[in-house]
Amino acid sequence: MAPIISSISPTSGHAGQTMTITGTGLGSLSTTKVNVGSSVVTPTTASGTSVTFSTPPGCAGQANVSVTVSGVNSNSKSFFYVAVPTVTSVNPSAGPAAPGVIDVFGTGFATATSVAFGSAGTAVPTVLSDSHLTATAPAHGAFSDCTDSVDVQVTNVGGTSAPTGPAGQFTYNAAPTVTGVNPSAGTTGTPTAGVIVSGTCFAVGSTVKLTSGATVVSATNVNVSNDTTLSCDVPALTAGTYDVQVTTPDGGTSGVVVADEFVVV
């Protein structure tokens, strides 16, 4: 009696995954070989009703799967090799520690199951087409520097995309901090020019605001010297204690600490 295949699982995927064949008359380890396209594979396990094996390498597209038991061939079932995805661009390519939704472009996204953002974690994709998906990027944890560029990698049933360098990376930007304000005091109704703000992770295009209760005033002539120093002019203010906060172009804002206070008397 010829062996008969009733089903294979999975019916699509990639090389290296375990495939299971079920049916009747499937032989044993000593009598059975598996045929996948032009490849002949020795099974991992084999019995009369079940055969398992590691899927051999193959080109994207359909391959016929059959078994040969003691020289007798079975019927065949179709297996579809899914191409490994590629990532060609990411938009936006940079953002704050909790960046929100990111657009990813490339190929092979139709069966995408996850999107990895380096060590920051993974996200579940929303597939818009085979070449476009969106994902809410996971928030970045503690930073060792002001920026961290991570590879964006997409996984589908065919495998995981390889890193593609800067075009396929997302850069997380740490929020700025303010560690000092000099001078730290001014006179009621009098502007203060050339206030030096010290801190970390400042960026060109940053803005500075002074807040006291419901009063929020923007500093002017903000000039970022480097990522730890900027200068600005403080407009005339009423008496009070103002928190000085820096916001970078990507939306990251420094927290409120005693060191950031500007006192107007």
Side-chain angles (χ1 to χ4, degrees):
M1 178 185 299
I4 297 174
I5 296 176
S6 58
S7 66
I8 63 173
S9 179
T11 57
S12 64
H14 58 88
Q17 68 187 130
T18 298
M19 186 186 298
T20 300
I21 298 173
T22 57
T24 58
L26 301 181
S28 64
L29 278 177
S30 63
T31 62
T32 302
K33 296 293 182 182
V34 180
N35 313 296
V36 183
S38 60
S39 299
V40 179
V41 181
T42 299
T44 305
T45 65
S47 68
T49 57
S50 178
V51 174
T52 64
F53 63 98
S54 179
T55 307
C59 297
Q62 182 176 305
N64 290 325
V65 178
S66 64
V67 296
T68 300
V69 179
S70 299
V72 180
N73 295 325
S74 72
N75 61 314
S76 64
K77 295 290 184 179
S78 295
F79 177 79
F80 193 85
Y81 280 97
V82 178
V84 175
T86 62
V87 173
T88 57
S89 65
V90 178
N91 184 42
S93 59
V101 176
I102 306 296
D103 286 274
V104 183
F105 299 91
T107 63
F109 293 169
T111 59
T113 55
S114 67
V115 184
F117 288 79
S119 60
T122 61
V124 176
T126 297
V127 177
L128 303 179
S129 71
D130 194 54
S131 60
H132 182 198
L133 61 78
T134 62
T136 300
H140 195 287
F143 285 82
S144 59
D145 202 347
C146 291
T147 63
D148 183 18
S149 295
V150 300
D151 292 310
V152 178
Q153 294 177 270
V154 175
T155 297
N156 68 7
V157 295
T160 300
S161 63
T164 53
Q169 292 182 330
F170 179 81
T171 299
Y172 286 92
N173 293 310
T177 64
V178 174
T179 58
V181 179
N182 184 34
S184 59
T187 303
T188 302
T190 303
T192 305
V195 174
I196 303 299
V197 180
S198 303
T200 63
C201 301
F202 298 158
V204 173
S206 295
T207 59
V208 179
K209 289 187 176 181
L210 295 93
T211 304
S212 180
T215 301
V216 180
V217 178
S218 295
T220 59
N221 298 323
V222 178
N223 180 44
V224 177
S225 301
N226 51 53
D227 62 1
T228 62
T229 307
L230 64 79
S231 62
C232 62
D233 296 339
V234 174
L237 300 171
T238 57
T241 298
Y242 292 79
D243 292 308
V244 178
Q245 290 182 280
V246 175
T247 298
T248 52
D250 65 19
T253 300
S254 60
V256 176
V257 294
V258 174
D260 70 13
E261 291 179 347
F262 184 81
V263 179
V264 179
V265 294

